[in-house]
Every structure is written in structure tokens, then in C-alpha cells.
Amino acid sequence: MKNSLTKRVLKVIGVFSGAEAFGILCSIVKMKLVAIWLNAAGVGLFGIFNTTIDTISIITGLGLRQSGVREIAKNTHTEGILKNVIARLRSWSLLSGLLGGLLISFLAPWLSYGFFGNMDHWWQFMILAGALLMNSLIGGEQAILQGTEFFKRLAKASVCGSAMGLAISIPMFRWLGNVSVPLSILGYSISILFFLYLNRNKTFGYKLAGWRDMKENAGFVKLGGYMALATFATNLAQMVFMSWLNREASTAEVGYFQAGNTLIFRYTSIIFGAVGLEFYPRMAANSHSPKRMSLFVSHEISLLLKIFTPMLVAFLLLRKWIVDILYTSDFYVILPFISIAIFTIILRSISTCMAFSIIAKGDGKTYLLTEGIDAVIGVCLNIWLYSLYGLTGIGIAQVIWYGIYTLMIAAVYFGRYRLRIIL
């Protein structure tokens, strides 16, 4: 069984990681051009705007992407129910996107003042309102394709959308300066949504549910609400730290932090995302069986460690060369930071797989509690250790942070759910 499971997971990794790798390549080209034409300040603006979008969309998005996948995966064998679930998910995605867009528009002057100390950037945050709406619709369509296991279509939409987004962005970076940053974010969102629409499963049509149906059959929205609050806490902590760093140091320092974070977390997310794409629906569909859940979690941890251990060694040997290729020599200041933070990859492999058991079981309160505590610990460690050791301190903080998180998730996994690690 383990061999067939490994083949299945590796097949999905091959399809999805190829698409993600292309997306990462587009991101590399994008950030390389930003680093050359807009300097570290441009990289910092991307970090600020993306963090703002993520934080607001998480709370208004009600966790629909994650909870929607779980609901769809549980009903894939009942076509009538599945169609109704998809219609409700699309309706909630549209509603949450509209609410998010209105919220970021209302907060635009205060967000500008909070990040930059003045209100001159309010109109750039207004542009992000459109991207937030697009992202909400994107999440709904991605959940449908993931829950119904149309991984190839999901990958195709990602590849085409990334390519178009980059093509739109390049001339803006060259000629519009820092103004191009929010416009690029909006362009990427529109491109990905366009190709998701082209690759949708036409069997289910494009039906929206009525308000009564949305209210009466919204169990997945309640779970998603807990998950949204948990993820909001994590992103709010990131947003608070970046705002503090921008005001206490500089936008360029935020850019260095963002560049280091991208190397450690964004690029390794190719593998984490590919595994989770197949792993989460499978866990949700078998959440009634502790034995199967234990087997699946143990298998994923083993597989991730086998993949990441040689990658960790290669990264440490080639880190300076990697920074040269992806950024410029100005970014050598992040080398101590990333040399330490890369070890979080081992802790993430263990904690992420165990954490899937919480959301697969639909235990929203526990997920909110663990993620909320983790967010507070993370922002406190980042501020404290950066104050002492600069960017190197953030690397130390990341390792300590993930170590505490792994212990906390293990307590839930072994103690609350009585699950095991099967060697």
C-alpha cells in the first residue's frame, strides 16, 4: 500500500510542482527585474501589499478554500449533493470577495499611514481591492478543482495565468516605477482567474446558490470561519512585524526580510503545496479512521524528509550563488539569515503533516487556538531577536518558532486525537 501511495503522491507532485516551478520561475524573473529597476524598496512594496491582501482576504474569505475542499472531497461520490456544494461555494466566494474589496477600500488611508507614515499611498491600496475580489473567486475555483481531483487542470491554469501575469507586469516595471507594484498584483490575479474559468469542470455548470440555500447549508462556512481567524492571526502577526520593521528600520530592510522569507518559504512551498494538494482531500475523506490517518501522516512525513534533506544540504552549499542569480549583490546581507532559517524545513515537514489532521477532522476551535498562540509567539520572537541581532536574529527566531509550533501540534496529534507515527 505504501508503494502505491508513494507513486500516487509523486505523480501529483510531478504535475503540480512542475506548474509551481514555472510559477516560481516567473516570480524569480519578476523579482529580479524589480530588484534591478525598483531596487530593494520595490521588493519591500511587494511584501507590504501582498501581506495586506493576504491578511484582509483571510478574514473576509472565511477559509472557504480549505473548508470547501473538505466538503467537496466528502461528497465526490454523490453528484447531486456535489453540485449544490459547488454552487454554494461559488456564491460564498463572490460575497466574501466583495466584502473584502469594500473593507480594504475603506481602510486604504489608514493602511497608508500605518505602513508609510502618511496617506500618499491610499490609492495604491484601492487598486488592491480589485485583486482581493479576484483572489476570492480564484480560491473558490481552485477548491473545486482540488476537491474533485482535477489536478492537471489546476496546474494548467496556474501555468498560463503566471505567464500572462508576468507578460503584463514587465513593461509596467520598466516604465511606471513603484506605481507598477499594485498594478502587477492586480494583473496576476486577473490572469489566473481567467485561465481557471477556461479550465473549470463544465459538468457542474456555473450555477450560483440562492441566499436561503447559502444560509441553511453553510456548515463548511463555520469551519472555514475558524480556519480564517487562525490564518488571519498568523498573517496579522506578519503584517505587524513588517510594519514595525518598516518604521523602525526602512522599506529596504523589509525588502531584505521579504527576499529571505521568499527563499526559505516561498520556494520550498512548491513541494509542500504539491503534497498538500493531494494529501488534504485524502485525509478529509478518511477522517473517520484513526488508523488510516496515522498511516497517511507517517507516510507524508517520511516522504518530505527524504525530499528535503538533500535539498537543505544543496542550499547551504550554493546559497551565495542562489542570491546572485535571484537578486543582486546588495542582498548578500540576508545570507546569515537564510543560512539559519533553512533548518525550519525539517520542523515544517513534521508539523505541517500532523497539522492536517486538525482541519481534516473539522476541529476548527483547536486549529484556531494552536495557530493563534503560534502567531503571538512568532511576532514576539521576530521583534525581540531582530532588535538584538538584526536579520540574523530573525533566522534564529524562525527556528525557535517552528520548534515550539511542532511541539504544540504534536501534543494535539498524540494527546487529543490519539494518532500515531507508524515507522
Side-chain angles (χ1 to χ4, degrees), residues 57 68 72 90 96 112 141 143 199 201 253 256 263 265 273 275 279 286 292 300 337 348 351 365 370 384 397 411 414:
S57 64
I72 290 170
R90 282 177 169 150
S96 68
S112 178
E141 295 304 311
N199 287 277
N201 188 343
E253 192 77 346
Y256 294 135
L263 283 175
F265 298 104
V275 169
F279 180 49
N286 291 276
R292 288 185 180 181
E300 302 303 311
F337 163 33
R348 285 176 68 199
S351 60
K365 292 181 180 179
T370 54
W384 175 44
F414 293 112

Side-chain angles (χ1 to χ4, degrees), residues 276 279-280 283 293 351-361:
F279 180 49
Y280 176 34
M283 286 282 285
M293 291 187 74
S351 60
T352 299
C353 292
M354 291 193 294
F356 270 114
S357 64
I358 302 177
I359 54 177
K361 282 183 170 292

Side-chain angles (χ1 to χ4, degrees), residues 237-309:
Q238 181 85 333
M239 193 173 175
V240 167
F241 176 67
M242 291 179 70
S243 178
W244 176 86
L245 185 61
N246 192 49
R247 301 188 70 170
E248 293 296 318
S250 66
T251 302
E253 192 77 346
V254 175
Y256 294 135
F257 166 70
Q258 183 69 16
N261 250 21
T262 298
L263 283 175
I264 300 300
F265 298 104
R266 176 72 175 91
Y267 298 145
T268 56
S269 292
I270 294 178
I271 304 299
F272 282 112
V275 169
L277 189 73
E278 188 274 339
F279 180 49
Y280 176 34
R282 174 158 46 91
M283 286 282 285
N286 291 276
S287 58
H288 59 280
S289 172
K291 184 176 180 180
R292 288 185 180 181
M293 291 187 74
S294 296
L295 176 62
F296 294 155
V297 170
S298 303
H299 175 268
E300 302 303 311
I301 290 176
S302 175
L303 183 60
L304 284 175
L305 291 177
K306 289 176 182 177
I307 292 172
F308 279 127
T309 300

Side-chain angles (χ1 to χ4, degrees), residues 66-86:
Q66 297 91 338
S67 61
V69 170
R70 180 178 183 272
E71 192 73 9
I72 290 170
K74 291 176 63 178
N75 292 284
T76 51
H77 301 297
T78 311
E79 185 174 337
I81 296 176
L82 181 59
K83 286 184 177 181
N84 290 332
V85 170
I86 290 173

Side-chain angles (χ1 to χ4, degrees), residues 20-52:
E20 278 292 287
F22 182 81
I24 294 296
L25 179 61
C26 290
S27 179
I28 289 171
V29 173
K30 177 180 72 175
M31 296 315 295
K32 181 73 173 181
L33 294 176
V34 169
I36 293 172
W37 289 333
L38 306 182
N39 304 314
V43 179
L45 285 175
F46 263 105
I48 289 170
F49 289 145
N50 280 323
T51 300
T52 301

